[in-house]
């Protein structure tokens, strides 16, 4: 019996376009002898549609213009999603065995979608509601990791509330960390709203820009070292087979370096000694357990000589043909189809 896999893409986050490219990779690599694939796009206003057109339109994010191939979906339900039958003019239940939410960022990777599927007992690929929410929030993730003895960059958090005293917060950070410092929205991604501040003026502008993206921010001491990312897979017994390296070839790995200028280079495996790479993989598994992950995650570190510092975690990492997560998994011997089989098996096995 084939299983029906609902592959979700798009969404309302800043990572809508990346999600479409990721989903086209997932759809084209799912084994069609094992699965019936239903692509479900979320447009930028948040509406759900099953898309029956060409895969290329998903990849290029033009699927939403192809109106003849869009079927309205009103939401999730027990056993599947409710779709519109235009001939009979009725809503009907379209059965789904497992959901693959290839959604990055807000409203997709942050626990909201995961909570919805949990309510309806629909198995889904990736971390559960709590884990997704905690991993999305950099303050929460770092706090939990520190409690488990995992090293992270020293940081201070602030909330955009009426009593917030910017002047004393700036002074505290200057005293504790010194310039340059990183200012980040607690919940964001793709480096949106992140500033590297070298002066008090840049710092104050950085706070404004972080608060434009979230009501909570964190300021971090600058950590030197290589940017090393580890791929992790599994439920109760996670395993990281490999880590890779991103060389931004820029001041830092900001939005433009990620998506515009193309100066960054990826190295798989990472250009670090074998025993350090082993320790990074074990640290990634420790982070994964500390944050209650399931299915998959990419865990990012700064590595300087022997020092390994946790930076952040992505519970639905980029899944394009050039993305680190699938490339690291393939380097360690899996095929793209085999990786997806395993993620679906883990989704069906997970106890939510
Ligand atoms: N504490 C830090 N020290 C040095 N560089 C940092 C620090 N925090 C972030 N960066 C740089 O900023 C980039 C984006 O920060 P990150 O926390 O990974 O945010 P995002 O979730 O948007 O990817 C990192 O890849 C790195 O280049
Ligand atoms: Mg990052």
């Amino acid at each position: 019996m084939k299983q029906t896999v609902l592959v979700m893409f798009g969404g309302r986050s800043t990572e809508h376009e990346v999600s479409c490219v990721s989903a086209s990779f997932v759809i084209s690599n799912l084994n069609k002898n094992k699965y019936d694939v239903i692509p479900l796009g979320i447009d930028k206003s948040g509406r759900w549609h099953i898309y029956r057109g060409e895969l290329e339109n998903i990849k290029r994010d033009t699927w939403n213009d192809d109106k003849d191939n869009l079927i309205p979906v009103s939401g999730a339900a027990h056993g599947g999603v409710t779709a519109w039958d235009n001939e009979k003019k009725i809503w009907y239940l379209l059965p789904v065995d497992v959901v693959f939410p290839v959604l990055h960022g807000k409203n997709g990777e942050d626990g909201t979608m995961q909570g919805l599927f949990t309510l309806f007992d629909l198995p889904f690929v990736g971390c559960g509601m709590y884990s997704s929410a905690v991993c999305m929030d950099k303050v929460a993730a770092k706090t939990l990791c520190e409690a488990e003895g995992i090293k992270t960059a020293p940081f201070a958090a602030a909330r955009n509330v009426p009593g917030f005293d910017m002047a004393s917060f700036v002074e505290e950070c200057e005293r504790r960390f010194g310039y340059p410092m990183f200012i980040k929205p607690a919940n964001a991604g793709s480096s949106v709203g992140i500033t590297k501040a070298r002066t008090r003026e840049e710092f104050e502008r950085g706070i404004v820009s972080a608060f434009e993206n979230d009501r909570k921010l964190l300021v971090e001491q600058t950590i030197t070292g290589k940017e090393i990312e580890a791929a992790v897979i599994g439920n109760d017994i996670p395993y990281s087979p490999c880590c890779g390296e991103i060389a931004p070839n820029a001041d830092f790995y900001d939005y433009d370096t990620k998506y515009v200028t193309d100066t960054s280079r990826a190295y798989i495996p990472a250009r670090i000694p074998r025993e350090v790479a082993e320790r990074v993989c074990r640290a990634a598994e420790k982070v994964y357990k500390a944050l209650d992950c399931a299915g998959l995650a990419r865990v990012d570190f700064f590595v300087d000589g022997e020092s390994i510092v946790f930076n952040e975690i992505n519970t639905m990492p980029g899944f394009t043909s050039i993305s680190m997560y699938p490339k690291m998994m393939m380097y360690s011997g899996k095929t793209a189809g085999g990786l997806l089989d395993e993620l679906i098996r883990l989704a069906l096995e997970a106890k939510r």
Side-chain angles (χ1 to χ4, degrees):
M1 262 272 280
K2 279 194 193 181
Q3 281 165 322
T4 304
V5 183
L6 185 79
V7 178
M8 300 183 76
F9 55 89
R12 300 177 77 179
S13 83
T14 46
E15 291 153 291
H16 176 103
E17 286 80 10
V18 188
S19 158
C20 293
V21 184
S22 291
S24 78
F25 178 85
V26 169
I27 293 168
S28 62
N29 285 291
L30 278 167
N31 183 340
K32 306 301 179 302
N33 296 321
K34 290 186 179 170
Y35 311 111
D36 284 322
V37 178
I38 305 176
L40 189 155
I42 303 178
D43 66 26
K44 286 182 177 168
S45 67
R47 291 195 172 76
W48 295 21
H49 317 262
I50 286 164
Y51 181 61
R52 295 289 187 195
E54 295 298 319
L55 189 60
E56 201 50 36
N57 287 328
I58 297 178
K59 190 171 183 183
R60 285 196 307 249
D61 192 25
T62 49
W63 58 275
N64 197 32
D65 304 327
D66 184 11
K67 301 291 181 209
D68 290 347
N69 282 310
L70 294 176
I71 300 169
V73 170
S74 68
H78 281 282
V81 291
T82 40
W84 179 248
D85 185 327
N86 204 32
E87 275 168 24
K88 295 189 185 139
K89 306 287 181 213
I90 50 164
W91 292 100
Y92 69 102
L93 181 75
L94 183 64
V96 167
D97 294 312
V98 56
V99 182
F100 199 142
V102 193
L103 299 164
H104 308 309
K106 210 177 168 71
N107 288 345
E109 193 180 346
D110 62 356
T112 47
M113 209 48 94
Q114 291 73 13
L116 182 72
F117 300 135
T118 306
L119 272 176
F120 291 112
D121 285 329
L122 283 172
F124 58 92
V125 171
C127 297
M129 179 195 72
Y130 160 80
S131 174
S132 300
V134 156
C135 292
M136 186 75 197
D137 185 314
K138 290 186 163 76
V139 174
K142 284 167 68 89
T143 304
L144 285 174
C145 283
E146 283 186 337
E148 295 283 335
I150 298 156
K151 215 167 125 192
T152 79
F155 71 103
R159 282 173 183 75
N160 193 8
V161 291
F164 173 58
D165 178 353
M166 167 114 91
S168 62
F169 183 67
V170 170
E171 270 172 33
E172 180 202 331
C173 293
E174 286 176 340
R175 193 179 60 247
R176 284 182 58 199
F177 314 131
Y179 292 105
M181 287 179 252
F182 278 83
I183 304 139
K184 311 177 180 182
N187 294 274
S190 293
S191 302
V192 173
I194 297 187
T195 308
K196 180 177 183 178
R198 289 167 200 78
T199 61
R200 183 174 286 198
E201 202 196 338
E202 285 177 0
F203 189 109
E204 288 174 350
R205 262 189 279 137
I207 288 185
V208 173
S209 134
F211 277 151
E212 278 166 8
N213 291 278
D214 194 1
R215 62 184 287 278
K216 184 163 71 172
L217 61 72
L218 67 161
V219 175
E220 287 182 4
Q221 186 176 315
T222 294
I223 304 295
T224 54
K226 293 185 162 171
E227 298 203 34
I228 306 294
E229 310 190 337
V232 187
I233 190 163
N235 287 341
D236 295 344
I237 306 166
Y239 176 57
S240 173
C242 173
C243 58
E245 175 185 348
I246 293 278
N249 294 317
D251 187 27
F252 74 99
Y253 201 29
D254 60 4
Y255 185 89
D256 281 0
T257 314
K258 281 178 183 168
Y259 302 113
V260 185
T261 58
D262 203 25
T263 57
S264 71
R265 290 290 169 268
Y267 299 90
I268 299 174
R271 300 171 302 172
I272 53 177
R274 206 191 179 92
E275 67 278 8
V276 179
E278 276 293 323
R279 283 178 47 226
V280 171
C281 290
R282 302 298 80 80
E285 291 161 4
K286 194 169 174 186
V287 169
Y288 195 91
K289 286 187 211 160
L291 301 178
D292 244 330
C293 296
L296 76 160
R298 197 194 74 222
V299 190
D300 299 351
F301 297 89
F302 298 111
V303 175
D304 198 354
E306 294 283 303
S307 151
I308 298 172
V309 177
F310 166 64
N311 178 35
E312 62 142 349
I313 181 164
N314 289 278
T315 53
M316 191 51 73
F319 235 101
T320 72
S321 58
I322 57 160
S323 296
M324 291 297 269
Y325 186 89
K327 278 176 71 178
M328 287 191 272
M329 284 300 182
M330 287 190 244
Y331 176 82
S332 61
K334 290 187 199 307
T335 60
L339 169 62
L340 298 172
D341 284 345
E342 197 165 336
L343 292 174
I344 287 171
R345 186 186 64 71
L346 290 166
L348 294 167
E349 172 199 278
K351 304 170 217 67
R352 309 280 187 196

